[in-house]
Amino acid sequence: QGAKQLPESGDLLVITKSLKDCMTLYSLGINAIAPCSENLFISESQFEKLKKRFKHIVVIYDNDQTGIHNMQKIRKQFPVKCFWIPRIYKAKDISDFYKKYGREKTLDLINEAKETIK
């Protein structure tokens, strides 16, 4: 989901778990895609193609047990950074965070996260 909207290349690509998270990130100027399910990830060949196009690839799944478990599995198989929203915010994903805290606070969170990936 969201793959057809990607530019040819870029600095950052976020792989997230849902179309609504992709849409939230796109509204903030961030390239994003989502597999069909949080329990699935892209194939190795898809990842290699994306790695050639984007300088940084970050996985952002939910900050629940399933999301964190799946990010750990992905990180073992692929050279990606993983990020989840700290639980103190009581928002399980980026679209919930945006809804609860608004655009500016979401951009602040994303900018903080960008510092950890570089």
Side-chain angles (χ1 to χ4, degrees):
Q1 302 175 76
K4 291 182 181 174
Q5 288 76 27
L6 291 176
E8 286 300 312
S9 63
D11 186 51
L12 174 65
L13 172 65
V14 172
I15 301 174
T16 189
K17 66 141 190 107
S18 71
L19 182 58
K20 71 176 181 154
D21 291 336
C22 283
M23 293 168 56
T24 299
L25 290 164
Y26 265 103
S27 77
L28 298 168
I30 298 168
N31 299 309
I33 60 171
C36 294
S37 163
E38 188 175 13
N39 293 317
L40 298 174
F41 195 65
I42 60 176
S43 69
E44 281 191 46
S45 64
Q46 289 170 318
F47 181 81
E48 288 301 319
K49 289 175 188 173
L50 291 170
K51 195 168 84 169
K52 290 176 184 172
R53 294 170 56 188
F54 294 92
K55 188 175 178 182
H56 301 284
I57 299 177
V58 177
V59 177
I60 302 177
Y61 278 4
D62 288 358
N63 67 355
D64 59 14
Q65 185 176 3
T66 302
I68 292 169
H69 173 76
N70 285 331
M71 282 190 288
Q72 289 171 342
K73 264 180 32 183
I74 292 164
R75 194 170 39 197
K76 287 178 184 176
Q77 186 176 1
F78 297 97
V80 296
K81 302 280 184 172
C82 294
F83 177 79
W84 58 89
I85 296 169
R87 290 189 177 164
I88 60 167
Y89 291 112
K90 299 193 184 337
K92 70 174 186 156
D93 59 32
I94 198 71
S95 58
D96 288 349
F97 187 94
Y98 186 97
K99 184 177 179 182
K100 188 171 188 174
Y101 295 103
R103 181 179 178 82
E104 292 306 312
K105 192 142 177 125
T106 305
L107 286 169
D108 290 343
L109 179 73
I110 288 168
N111 287 329
E112 286 176 32
K114 281 182 178 180
E115 292 301 314
T116 67
I117 64 165
K118 294 187 177 183

